[in-house]
Amino acid sequence: MIIEQRVYTFHPGKLGEFWKIYLSGPLDMQRRILGDLVGFFTVETGTLNRVVHLWRYASVEDRAHRRALLMKEPAWQEYLAKALPLIQVQESTFLVPTDFSPLQ
């Protein structure tokens, strides 16, 4: 199992616009295709205008397969055309739980 941590830093003042676009359908599409949303967070200290979301996958291969399916969706491509200009920086990190982690 892996957890993918995705962090997006938005241009100042653009986070509200992102929420309006993202909550109008793309989040539901991600849940349907990607599966296990572990958490979705905003950042209140440090680097601001950021959101962090965590997705659980069985493996790196499972993640690649699911992401490829998502990218084939025309509605996802429409979402990206609207959302990507709002984003300043994108980060993706694969996290592997330790043997003693509650997330297994």
Side-chain angles (χ1 to χ4, degrees):
M1 190 237 344
I2 63 166
I3 302 286
E4 181 181 18
Q5 174 183 277
R6 296 184 72 91
V7 180
Y8 298 131
T9 305
F10 291 86
H11 293 286
K14 297 297 183 181
L15 194 51
E17 188 176 344
F18 166 73
W19 288 129
K20 184 177 177 182
I21 296 166
Y22 186 65
L23 296 175
S24 71
L27 173 58
D28 293 334
M29 189 180 333
Q30 278 187 304
R31 284 183 168 154
R32 179 174 48 82
I33 296 171
L34 299 183
D36 194 4
L37 174 62
V38 175
F40 215 111
F41 311 89
T42 58
V43 174
E44 294 294 324
T45 60
T47 304
L48 302 177
N49 301 302
R50 298 178 104 188
V51 297
V52 178
H53 43 121
L54 305 171
W55 295 86
R56 182 187 340 241
Y57 300 99
S59 64
V60 173
E61 294 78 14
D62 176 45
R63 184 245 181 218
H65 172 74
R66 290 174 181 273
R67 296 286 308 172
L69 290 175
L70 183 64
M71 294 304 285
K72 289 180 183 178
E73 292 282 334
W76 186 254
Q77 293 302 319
E78 291 173 20
Y79 157 73
L80 290 178
K82 295 175 188 174
L84 288 179
L86 307 175
I87 299 171
Q88 196 171 52
V89 177
Q90 291 179 272
E91 302 169 51
S92 175
T93 304
F94 291 172
L95 306 172
V96 179
T98 61
D99 292 341
F100 54 87
S101 175
L103 290 175
Q104 288 294 322

